[in-house]
Amino acid sequence: MEQLTVPPRAAHKTLLYSEPARDLENLEADIAILGMPFGAAYSPRSFTNDQSHTPQTMRDISDRIVREPDHYDFDIDGPLLQGREDIRFVDCGDVLPDLGKPGDHYRKAELAVRQILKAGALPIVLGGDHGITTPILRAFDSLAPITLVHVDAHLDWRDEVDGIKEGLSSPIRRASEMAHVKDIVQIGLRAQGSARTEEYEAAKAYGAQIVSAYELHEVGMKAILDRIPDGGNYYLSIDADGIDPSIMPAVAGPAPGGVTYVQARQLIHGLVKKGRVVGMDIVEIQPGKDLACQLTCVTAGRFIVNLIGSTIRAGYFDHK
């Protein structure tokens, strides 16, 4: 009988056609996606925010980020996995809160990343708001010293907001307190956020390299990369509002003049070549504001593509 119809299209169950992997204790992977939709809320109304929808939204539009994984991609000089059938690319799903144990999802997220690292895989984490970076980064103590490279319009050095110390305004302050974090480089700062003068002075006293968006545009990303110590273990945290809103408009605080796509791509490829990128997160996307063409989520996905392709080309997974 002639088949006249096809099944209705279903959303992607994983990001970028990766294999689902739920058994983290026995994980076999080279590159692992992890969703962390929820941070630490500042108020009852913000327990569920728009950022919490991002991990699934990005999975749903995988075919807009990469149309076909085996097609040539000019951003990475080859297909997504560089034609390597041996690369194990998986999606571990999302870490969700337990309503009976408030805050326990931070413990579970840290443990999930530890298990990904134990498997020898590169974790790429989809937020969520920027509070998620705190538990994720804690898991990297075995890879000390870590250089934290932070792309953001905002400083994120608040000690606490309404008594909450691990929320979206505090991840870099919390990182500065982790013994395994040695250097902090913050790129793309501009306009206003939650930081006051005292937070700026605390960041400078710590020794954070603070690079405004305007300094970046004046000297170029290569000059900024040259300031980052060579041969390091780099954790890259990208807040969507650090990127110019012309390409990532769906954020809570859009500020003109941000990091361009070309600059962000140069940063990713540059870090991969000068040392080892050991993890990355992308946070603070609000899909409800991304309805016109989903450009913000597509751009975030393209950052992930650049990290995947460049790490494979650099030989990160050749000797496992």
Side-chain angles (χ1 to χ4, degrees):
M1 179 181 296
E2 181 183 5
Q3 186 67 52
L4 299 179
T5 65
V6 298
R9 181 178 176 184
H12 298 279
K13 297 182 183 300
T14 65
L15 184 75
L16 298 177
Y17 320 98
S18 55
E19 295 294 325
R22 301 294 182 265
D23 182 4
L24 298 190
E25 291 186 3
N26 300 293
L27 183 66
E28 294 185 1
D30 297 301
I31 301 163
I33 301 296
L34 180 70
M36 190 174 178
F38 298 93
Y42 289 142
S43 71
R45 293 184 182 275
S46 61
F47 272 101
T48 297
N49 54 27
D50 197 12
Q51 295 93 310
S52 66
H53 299 121
T54 301
Q56 190 55 48
T57 299
M58 290 190 62
R59 294 183 179 105
D60 290 344
I61 65 164
S62 285
D63 56 331
R64 298 205 64 198
I65 300 166
V66 171
R67 192 168 297 176
E68 296 286 348
D70 60 343
H71 285 195
Y72 191 91
D73 192 315
F74 282 91
D75 284 14
I76 55 175
D77 297 321
L80 177 63
L81 301 182
Q82 301 294 311
R84 293 274 300 274
E85 295 183 359
D86 60 316
I87 296 296
R88 296 164 297 183
F89 176 35
V90 305
D91 188 326
C92 299
D94 296 340
V95 175
L96 296 181
D98 182 338
L99 297 181
K101 299 179 181 178
D104 193 53
H105 62 300
Y106 270 38
R107 178 192 63 83
K108 291 193 293 184
E110 179 183 342
L111 179 58
V113 176
R114 288 187 182 279
Q115 291 177 331
I116 291 170
L117 293 173
K118 182 180 178 181
L122 169 66
I124 301 174
V125 183
L126 311 176
D129 65 45
H130 217 153
I132 69 105
T133 298
T134 296
I136 299 301
L137 192 56
R138 285 194 181 113
F140 287 82
D141 54 353
S142 64
L143 297 176
I146 296 290
T147 297
L148 171 60
V149 181
H150 170 224
V151 176
D152 203 325
H154 308 124
L155 198 61
D156 289 356
W157 273 78
R158 286 291 291 268
D159 185 42
E160 56 84 24
V161 175
D162 296 333
I164 304 299
K165 296 178 72 71
E166 297 186 352
L168 61 88
S169 294
S170 303
I172 311 305
R173 185 67 164 255
R174 298 287 82 82
S176 74
E177 298 165 349
M178 298 180 193
H180 58 285
V181 175
K182 179 182 179 184
D183 297 298
I184 296 177
V185 183
Q186 300 184 254
I187 303 170
L189 295 121
R190 62 198 188 282
Q192 281 189 334
S194 67
R196 302 157 299 186
T197 301
E198 62 197 80
E199 280 82 42
Y200 175 78
E201 291 174 347
K204 295 296 289 185
Y206 173 84
Q209 291 191 50
I210 297 175
V211 182
S212 74
Y214 312 110
E215 181 182 4
L216 169 64
H217 296 319
E218 182 176 348
V219 304
M221 185 59 80
K222 183 181 184 304
I224 304 306
L225 278 164
D226 288 343
R227 300 179 193 175
I228 300 173
D230 290 335
N233 284 339
Y234 309 113
Y235 183 89
L236 177 60
S237 181
I238 300 178
D239 186 318
D241 64 38
I243 308 301
D244 193 76
S246 62
I247 56 169
M248 296 194 89
V251 297
V259 178
T260 69
Y261 180 79
V262 172
Q263 290 168 336
R265 178 182 178 275
Q266 188 176 10
L267 176 64
I268 293 168
H269 286 254
L271 290 174
V272 166
K273 291 176 181 177
K274 76 183 291 150
R276 189 174 187 92
V277 176
V278 295
M280 179 172 79
D281 66 53
I282 297 180
V283 299
E284 296 292 351
I285 295 172
Q286 297 190 343
K289 295 182 172 71
D290 210 22
L291 299 179
C293 61
Q294 298 174 310
L295 178 61
T296 308
C297 287
V298 169
T299 302
R302 294 304 301 176
F303 293 153
I304 292 171
V305 168
N306 275 277
L307 182 65
I308 291 172
S310 61
T311 53
I312 295 173
R313 288 182 64 84
Y316 276 30
F317 315 108
D318 287 355
H319 305 294
K320 288 190 63 178

